[in-house]
Amino acid sequence: MTIKFLGYRCSLCAAEYQPDEAIYTCRHDGGNLDIIYDYDALQRELSPEAILSSQESSLWRYLPLLPVNEIHAAGTPMGAVGWTPLFSPPELRDQLGIENLWIKDESRNPTASFKDRASAIVVAQAQETGVEIVVTASTGNAGAALAGMAAAAGQKAVIFAPKDAPPAKIAQLLIYDAQVLLVDGNYDQAFDLSISASNEFGWYCRNTGYNPFSLEGKKTATFEIWENLMRLKSFETPLAVFVSVGDGNIISGLHKGFKDLQALGWLEYMPRIFGVQAEGSAAIANAFKAGGEEIIPVAADTLADSISVDLPRDGVRAVRAASQTGGAYLTVGDDDILTAIADLGRVGIFAEPAGATAYAGLKEALKLGMIGSNDPVVVLNTGSGLKDVKAAMQAVSPAEIIEPSLTALEQVLQRIG
Ligand SMILES: *Cc1c(COP(=O)(O)O)cnc(C)c1O
Ligand SMILES: [Zn+2]
C-alpha cells in the first residue's frame, strides 16, 4: 500500500504521528487526530478542473483528496455513496424569506444517512490494510452504514447499538448481515464497550469521533457543496451551512473539507458553519455558549436518537467548526424538531428527527437575526424519515379511518372541510 497523506496531527496538543502508525486518538491527551496532506504537492498535481470533469457520480470523484488509494467496491452500493441532490423548494424559500436556500438531502445515500460517507472510507481503509473485522458503536445510522458498506465490499462487521434504537435501524443491521450486539444501555456505554472489544480482539474500530478516517469521508459533502453551488454562483455574503450535531464529527468534517479547499487555494472565503443540537443533548452547544472548549457531559434526552449523546466524542473540533468560521450553535426543542419534520415533508423531503433538526435550527437562527434574507443557506438533511416511523407519526395528525362507502367519505370530507 502506498500512503497518500503526511501523517496525523492532534487537534489538542498538535503532536504528530506517522501515517503508518496504527492509531486512533492522541497518545498524550486522547485528542482527535486530523489527517494532514501535502497540499503543495496536491496543488501542483491537481486542478479543480480535473475533479469537475470526473465521471464518478459519487464521493469517489474526490479520490485524490482522500486517504485511500483506489476506488473500492465499484459497481456496488459502496460505489454510490455521496453526490446527493441539492433541493431549493420555492415554498420553503417563501416561508422563510430566504431567496437562496438549499437542502442537501443525505437521505439519498445507499443506507439512507450521511454516515455512509464515513463508512465507505473506513471500509476502503480496512480493505487496503487487510484487516479482518471492522467494529463500531452506533445509535443506529453509523452501524447501518458500516454494515451496508461492509456487505457491499465483502468485509466482516460487528455492530454495537443500544437495544432501544429505532427498529428500522436494527432491521438494517440484521439485513446487511452484520454481527449485531444490542447493548442493554445507552450509546455511550455501547461506545465504551466497542473500544474495549477493539483493543481486546484487534478489531478495526470505525467509531465516530475516534477513527480519524471517518471525518475524511464526511468532509466530502463540502466538496459537493463547493462544486455544485459555490463554483457556479457568486454570493454577496458568505454561505451559511446548517447541520445537526451529536458527537460532532459531521460538523468537524465539514470544517475540514472547507479547510482542505482553502489550503488548495480553491476556496476564497470560509462558509459560516452552524451546529444545531437538541435542547436535551446539547453538550457542545453549551461549551460554545460558555465561550470555551471544555465539553461537559449531559444526561441526553431527546427523541432525535441520532444526536442523543451524553459525551460528544468530537466536541472540541465541533466547537471550533462554528467559532472559527463566524458560525454559531443553536438548540431546538423536540417539538421544534417534529414541526421541522412536517415542514420538510410538505415539500417532499422525508427526514428523521436528527435530519430535520438542522432545519429547525435555521428557523431559530432567523428568529435570532443570525441569518439575513440575502444570505445563501445550505441545510443538511442527514437521515431518512423511514429510519424512525414512530417519530414521524408524532409530527402529523392521524389519518381518518372510514367505512368503505361514499357516504362515509362525504361525511368525513364535510367535517374536515
Ligand atoms: C450521526 C448523525 C448526526 C450527527 O453526527 P455527529 O457526527 O454525531 O455530530 C446527525 N444526523 C444523523 C441522521 C446522524 O445519523
Ligand atoms: Zn494530543
Side-chain angles (χ1 to χ4, degrees):
M1 184 191 80
T2 53
I3 285 171
K4 273 178 61 184
F5 53 101
L6 291 177
Y8 306 90
R9 186 182 296 126
C10 175
S11 57
L12 298 182
C13 73
E16 294 193 357
Y17 298 91
Q18 293 302 312
D20 57 356
E21 279 180 81
I23 187 167
Y24 294 107
T25 54
C26 179
R27 286 201 196 95
H28 308 295
D29 52 20
N32 294 109
L33 300 179
D34 288 317
I35 288 179
I36 32 183
Y37 293 87
D38 186 345
Y39 292 103
D40 290 338
L42 281 171
Q43 219 171 8
R44 276 196 308 275
E45 290 160 17
L46 195 66
S47 68
E49 287 69 30
I51 289 191
L52 296 169
S53 62
S54 167
Q55 300 297 308
E56 284 291 332
S57 44
S58 71
L59 56 65
W60 298 109
R61 62 196 280 116
Y62 308 112
L63 184 65
L65 303 173
L66 293 170
V68 289
N69 294 299
E70 54 187 277
I71 296 177
H72 290 258
T76 77
M78 192 161 134
V81 176
W83 205 240
T84 55
L86 276 170
F87 300 127
S88 187
E91 204 180 310
L92 296 185
R93 284 188 276 145
D94 287 350
Q95 264 168 35
L96 301 183
I98 301 177
E99 202 179 321
N100 292 305
L101 171 68
W102 288 272
I103 315 278
K104 188 164 175 62
D105 191 7
E106 291 292 315
S107 74
R108 301 299 193 90
N109 278 299
T111 79
S113 88
F114 193 103
K115 296 292 196 296
D116 283 345
R117 294 181 186 273
S119 290
I121 299 308
V122 172
V123 169
Q125 180 67 20
Q127 303 242 294
E128 290 189 4
T129 48
V131 307
E132 200 189 333
I133 294 178
V134 189
V135 61
T136 198
S138 170
T139 58
N141 285 339
L146 177 60
M149 295 306 109
Q155 177 83 43
K156 273 192 196 153
V158 179
I159 316 288
F160 294 96
K163 77 172 190 332
D164 56 3
K169 297 182 181 181
I170 294 173
Q172 280 186 295
L173 302 178
L174 295 167
I175 288 292
Y176 294 136
D177 200 26
Q179 172 76 63
V180 181
L181 298 150
L182 297 181
V183 176
D184 191 4
N186 65 10
Y187 168 61
D188 294 77
Q189 291 167 309
F191 193 103
D192 292 338
L193 178 59
S194 69
I195 297 211
S196 309
S198 164
N199 292 338
E200 183 72 19
F201 307 124
W203 299 341
Y204 182 53
C205 186
R206 176 222 176 274
N207 282 12
T208 293
Y210 182 69
N211 184 313
F213 294 98
S214 71
L215 178 136
E216 291 295 308
K218 286 169 173 174
K219 77 181 183 183
T220 57
T222 64
F223 298 165
E224 292 170 23
I225 292 170
W226 166 77
E227 207 180 327
N228 294 332
L229 205 59
M230 304 178 80
R231 276 189 55 93
L232 299 180
K233 290 184 176 256
S234 56
F235 302 110
E236 285 164 26
T237 55
L239 187 70
V241 180
F242 283 77
V243 63
S244 60
V245 176
D247 272 316
N249 195 240
I250 297 182
I251 194 171
S252 301
L254 299 179
H255 194 200
K256 174 72 166 18
F258 287 129
K259 282 192 288 190
D260 276 1
L261 290 170
Q262 277 202 321
L264 289 165
W266 298 356
L267 181 69
E268 212 174 311
Y269 61 84
M270 179 60 82
R272 291 193 288 160
I273 302 177
F274 292 84
V276 189
Q277 293 207 285
E279 274 162 12
S281 178
I284 299 173
N286 293 343
F288 179 86
K289 284 171 186 168
E293 293 186 340
E294 193 198 349
I295 309 294
I296 301 165
V298 298
D301 180 19
T302 168
L303 66 68
D305 64 293
S306 300
I307 50 171
S308 182
V309 177
D310 294 353
L311 173 62
R313 307 293 169 149
D314 210 342
V316 173
R317 288 191 299 191
V319 169
R320 291 176 187 165
S323 66
Q324 294 181 356
T325 65
Y329 268 84
L330 299 134
T331 53
V332 295
D334 282 0
D335 287 352
D336 304 317
I337 293 171
L338 290 174
T339 304
I341 292 177
D343 292 343
L344 293 172
R346 262 180 239 112
V347 297
I349 299 168
F350 191 11
E352 70 165 272
T357 298
Y359 187 75
L362 168 60
K363 287 166 71 179
E364 183 66 15
L366 278 164
K367 247 189 250 166
L368 298 172
M370 292 174 171
I371 295 292
S373 58
N374 284 328
D375 294 341
V377 176
V378 173
V379 177
L380 293 172
N381 168 30
T382 42
S384 164
L386 291 174
K387 297 256 192 186
D388 188 352
V389 171
K390 189 165 154 243
M393 293 305 270
Q394 292 176 54
V396 288
S397 316
E400 297 282 345
I401 296 171
I402 60 166
E403 299 288 323
S405 79
L406 207 48
T407 324
L409 174 60
E410 280 165 352
Q411 276 170 4
V412 169
L413 291 179
Q414 252 176 17
R415 180 158 50 77
I416 61 181

